[in-house]
Amino acid sequence: MRLLAPGAPLTPSEVALPAPGPQELLIRVEACGVCRTDLHLIDNELPDVHCPITPGHEVVGIVTARGALVTRFAVGDRVGVPWLAWTCGVCEFCRAGQENLCPRARFTGYTRDGGYAEEVLADARYCLPLPGNAPAATLAPLLCAGLIGYRAYRKAGEARTLGLYGFGAAAHLIAQVARHEGRRVFAFTRAGDEEGQRFARALGAEWAGPSDEPAPEALDAAILFAPVGALIPAALGACRPGGRVVCAGIHMSDVPAFPYRLLWGERSVASVANLTRADGEEFLGLAARLGLTASVERFALADANRALERLRSGALEGAAVLEVPRH
Ligand SMILES: [Zn+2]
Ligand SMILES: [Zn+2]
């Protein structure tokens, strides 16, 4: 299901099956998660989108062929293909353990073809090992919603009271991690989204309410998963002095002007960009230890446009996942 022009619905397309390069795997896709970033791609809100492109960067699949230099995975292994597809390895960021900031990085489903497909090619050095016994659909959201959500969560520091703005695919996973670590979770949703608030409370949030309502007490930190710039001043206003607001998304609407007193008191705002391979290994290990489970709504690959519209409307509970029958 490919994006042929910005703004167009995805179109079923036939593409010749490529052979894997020396460092690549050819992977039969079992499932691919639907991420908010896919909507930003389709809506032309990311820089340098080159069409045609196949979206999808939460890919779970089985290795069917591998390049001559690949030793890490064997044919038949289940792997995950995340957002970070390749980095240069030689720039100052790559050498400092910040490959997520590599200016030459390539990204799955954005600058190379992703997993809204029956098959995908991926550089084996950036793939992640996945357990073979869990359903593919419930593993897929871990690969971006979980993983980048977790990077944002760590950046929020030692918060005892944690606000989550936008209770979708990422927040519903991170709420479980935060509860496991004994933190108190406060969930903010769109006004009137009582289903979303109920879902957040069911996953351990001690309070859930609309994002235009004040939090019941001052927060140590907040993570913004909703791509709404106006939430930055709202979340700063909800944080105690010294509190931190972490923006987890790749794109946000413009941030409105706000009085300096909201930032005053050593509050800070940070963004999270992409992931490193170390993040992937760490988070997937944690997810396995906690038995972290994603709530998913399943769609056939051919129904990708319907899944994206469900995500856009805010009607999803948890994450949307495209499933690809064995072919
Ligand atoms: Zn680099
Ligand atoms: Zn994503």
Side-chain angles (χ1 to χ4, degrees), residues 87-94 102-104:
T87 54
C88 79
V90 296
C91 73
E92 59 177 313
F93 298 105
C94 283
C102 174
R104 295 174 61 204

Side-chain angles (χ1 to χ4, degrees), residues 67-189:
L69 299 180
V70 177
T71 53
R72 189 163 170 229
F73 297 106
V75 169
D77 283 356
R78 181 185 258 174
V79 294
V81 187
W83 172 247
L84 188 75
W86 182 87
T87 54
C88 79
V90 296
C91 73
E92 59 177 313
F93 298 105
C94 283
R95 282 185 283 114
Q98 294 178 299
E99 63 183 359
N100 60 307
L101 301 180
C102 174
R104 295 174 61 204
R106 293 179 200 149
F107 300 103
T108 310
Y110 173 26
T111 57
R112 62 176 287 165
D113 283 327
Y116 285 25
E118 293 178 333
E119 319 269 344
V120 68
L121 273 182
D123 189 312
R125 296 167 296 182
Y126 296 82
C127 291
L128 296 161
L130 287 176
N133 52 4
T138 59
L139 290 173
L142 301 180
L143 290 161
C144 177
L147 224 164
I148 293 185
Y150 184 66
R151 188 175 172 89
Y153 171 75
R154 274 189 328 189
K155 203 154 202 147
E158 295 293 311
R160 307 312 302 167
T161 52
L162 179 67
L164 302 177
Y165 285 76
F167 204 85
H172 98 283
L173 293 167
I174 293 312
Q176 296 176 59
V177 175
R179 287 301 301 136
H180 178 82
E181 295 188 346
R183 300 166 200 248
R184 299 169 58 208
V185 173
F186 298 78
F188 298 82
T189 71

Side-chain angles (χ1 to χ4, degrees), residues 44-69:
N44 210 19
E45 290 170 331
L46 305 183
D48 304 320
V49 173
H50 293 285
C51 293
I53 184 77
T54 309
H57 55 269
E58 298 180 304
V59 193
V60 178
I62 304 293
V63 176
T64 56
R66 61 179 196 171
L69 299 180

